[in-house]
Structures are given as C-alpha cells and as structure tokens.
C-alpha cells in the first residue's frame, strides 16, 4: 500500500509521512515531513489528491504538500482507504469528512484553452448569495495560477454565471462580483499580473442545464475562463 499520514495533534495539523510498502514495489518511498500548521486544527481543511500513473500529488488548501513521482507502483492503487486512528471521543476528539468527490481526470487546462479557447468549472465555490470564495476552491485556483505562470502568452477573461434563482438584475450583479472576486484572488494570493486578467458577469443568461432541478442549477452556477489575446 501507499500511505499518507496526517497527524492531528495539540500542535496542529501535520502531514507527517509519505511511504509505500509491500506488493511488488520497485522504488521504496519513505519520506518524513516535519511541518506543523496549528491554524488548520479545528477548522475545515480542503484536501485535493491527484494520481497520474505512478505520480501522487496532494494539496492542503492551496498549498502542495506532497509530490511523489513513484509512490503508486505495481499493484498499489486499486483501492482508496481513509482511516482515522487514535480518535478518543472521551477526550473531545472528532474527525469529520464531507464533500468527498472522486473524478476522472480530464485534459489539462492549457490543452483545453489551446483547443477550445475556453474551459468552465463548477469547482469554484462561493458563500450563498455572496461573492466570497470558499477555501475548497483553492485547488482549482492553484491549477489556473500554475498554468498562467507556465504560459506567459495566455491571458484570461473570467466570466461568472448563476442559476435563475432570484431576480435577474440581482443575478447579473452577483455574477460580476463573483468573477471579480476570482480575479482578485489570482492577483493578490497567487501573484498573477493584473494585466493578464479581465472579468465580466453573464448572470443567468447562458444556462447550460435545466434550472428546474438542483443538479441543473448547480451546473449553471459556474465560472468560465476564456483565452484572450
């Protein structure tokens, strides 16, 4: 198996070790990570994992914590297990997992932009009826920032879309505010040059799914990125 150990202690949140063992492992991995993050304890933390053949990457909120090119080998990787150990309810311990998603990887962002000139995501989340970007959005925002850093010739227009719940003018304003918030995070937190980013909102005018269902409305609440010259 391949194992990533996350330690929750009085000192905080710590990605403690990365290792693999057993099976038919050719390259033995056994790395220790000495990194305490006290402000992550007793808060919601977003963990993103990407597996590409032998390579395993993991982000905690917006920061990449693990990038191992040979962790997944041979017959390792057929199953995914989350195990919380040494949790003592009598001492007030609690570990909760929510919003668990498994998705097949798609084309990388650069390929999508070069082939289609745009891509759209429902993976950027906002507070209800507000433009505040939630922390669980930072995985996709980091991917966008890394793509922009690696491709100086690509500039983006950020377009906000909403469902049709609420008044039309309100949805238009909300979509603009959300697109502006995404732009500001890319500038202020990921250090992308402001000159490379534009934004606009289209409100509820370009639905891609049925607004009469919750799933359809969720698909319509999206952020679109269009390559501009």
């Amino acid at each position: 198996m391949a194992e990533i150990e996350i330690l929750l202690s009085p000192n905080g949140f710590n990605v403690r070790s990365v290792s693999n063992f057993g099976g038919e492992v050719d390259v033995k991995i056994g790395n220790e990570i000495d990194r305490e993050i006290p402000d992550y304890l007793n808060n919601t933390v977003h963990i993103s994992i990407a597996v590409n053949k032998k390579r395993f990457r993991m982000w905690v909120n917006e920061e990449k914590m693990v990038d191992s090119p040979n962790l997944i080998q041979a017959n390792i990787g057929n199953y995914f297990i989350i195990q919380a150990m040494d949790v003592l309810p009598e001492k007030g311990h609690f570990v909760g997992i929510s919003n668990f998603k498994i998705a097949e990887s798609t084309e990388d962002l650069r390929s999508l932009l070069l082939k289609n000139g745009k891509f759209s995501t429902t993976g950027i989340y906002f507070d209800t009826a507000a433009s505040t970007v939630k922390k669980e959005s930072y995985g996709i925002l980091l991917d966008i920032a890394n793509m922009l850093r690696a491709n100086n010739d690509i500039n983006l227009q950020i377009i906000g879309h909403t469902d049709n719940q609420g008044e039309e003018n309100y949805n238009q304003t909300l979509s603009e505010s959300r697109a502006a918030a995404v732009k500001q995070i890319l500038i202020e937190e990921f250090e992308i040059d402001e000159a490379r980013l534009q934004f606009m909102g289209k409100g509820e005018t370009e639905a891609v799914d049925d607004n009469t269902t919750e799933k359809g409305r969720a698909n319509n609440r999206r952020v679109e990125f269009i390559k501009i010259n």
Side-chain angles (χ1 to χ4, degrees):
M1 63 183 296
E3 182 177 66
I4 313 297
E5 181 185 11
I6 297 173
L7 178 67
L8 304 177
S9 73
N11 295 324
F13 180 103
N14 183 356
V15 180
R16 173 59 62 87
S17 65
V18 179
S19 61
N20 61 17
F21 49 88
E24 301 171 3
V25 171
D26 294 322
V27 179
K28 180 71 172 67
I29 307 297
N31 292 328
E32 295 292 324
I33 302 173
D34 184 17
R35 176 76 185 282
E36 300 282 358
I37 313 176
D39 55 320
Y40 283 2
L41 196 64
N42 296 325
N43 282 296
T44 300
V45 177
H46 183 247
I47 297 175
S48 300
I49 293 172
V51 175
N52 184 0
K53 297 180 181 178
K54 295 182 179 181
R55 187 180 184 188
F56 180 101
R57 290 172 291 167
M58 186 177 81
W59 293 261
V60 179
N61 287 341
E62 71 271 24
E63 182 177 1
K64 185 189 287 185
M65 290 283 188
V66 178
D67 191 344
S68 177
N70 290 296
L71 187 68
I72 310 297
Q73 298 177 49
N75 57 351
I76 286 178
N78 292 325
Y79 302 95
F80 187 86
I81 302 170
I82 297 176
Q83 184 177 15
M85 301 176 64
D86 302 326
V87 178
L88 303 174
E90 65 273 17
K91 291 191 176 182
H93 297 178
F94 173 77
V95 177
I97 299 171
S98 64
N99 297 328
F100 186 83
K101 298 179 182 179
I102 299 177
E104 184 176 0
S105 62
T106 57
E107 288 185 80
D108 63 84
L109 300 183
R110 180 179 180 275
S111 296
L112 286 171
L113 284 169
L114 293 180
K115 184 172 73 174
N116 302 324
K118 62 182 180 180
F119 75 93
S120 180
T121 178
T122 57
I124 299 176
Y125 303 98
F126 303 88
D127 287 348
T128 302
S131 58
T132 304
V133 179
K134 294 186 175 182
K135 283 292 186 182
E136 53 260 45
S137 309
Y138 276 49
I140 183 66
L141 291 174
L142 178 61
D143 287 344
I144 293 165
N146 285 338
M147 182 275 298
L148 288 170
R149 292 187 191 111
N151 300 274
N152 290 325
D153 59 325
I154 293 180
N155 301 322
L156 293 178
Q157 183 168 58
I158 304 163
I159 303 176
H161 297 271
T162 69
D163 57 30
N164 70 346
Q165 302 297 289
E167 199 270 332
E168 184 176 351
N169 289 337
Y170 172 81
N171 287 335
Q172 176 62 35
T173 301
L174 180 63
S175 68
E176 292 171 2
S177 298
R178 287 178 169 179
V182 171
K183 175 185 174 180
Q184 284 307 115
I185 288 176
L186 288 172
I187 294 168
E188 295 174 3
E189 299 194 35
F190 294 99
E191 300 180 343
I192 301 302
D193 185 354
E194 183 175 2
R196 301 179 64 189
L197 302 171
Q198 299 177 18
F199 78 92
M200 67 180 298
K202 292 192 175 181
E204 62 187 69
T205 61
E206 294 189 2
V208 294
D209 208 337
D210 186 356
N211 270 312
T212 64
T213 68
E214 178 53 42
K215 180 181 178 182
R217 290 192 294 271
N219 287 334
N220 289 331
R221 296 190 296 268
R222 67 196 191 279
V223 179
E224 188 175 13
F225 296 84
I226 295 180
K227 182 177 179 291
I228 55 177
N229 296 324

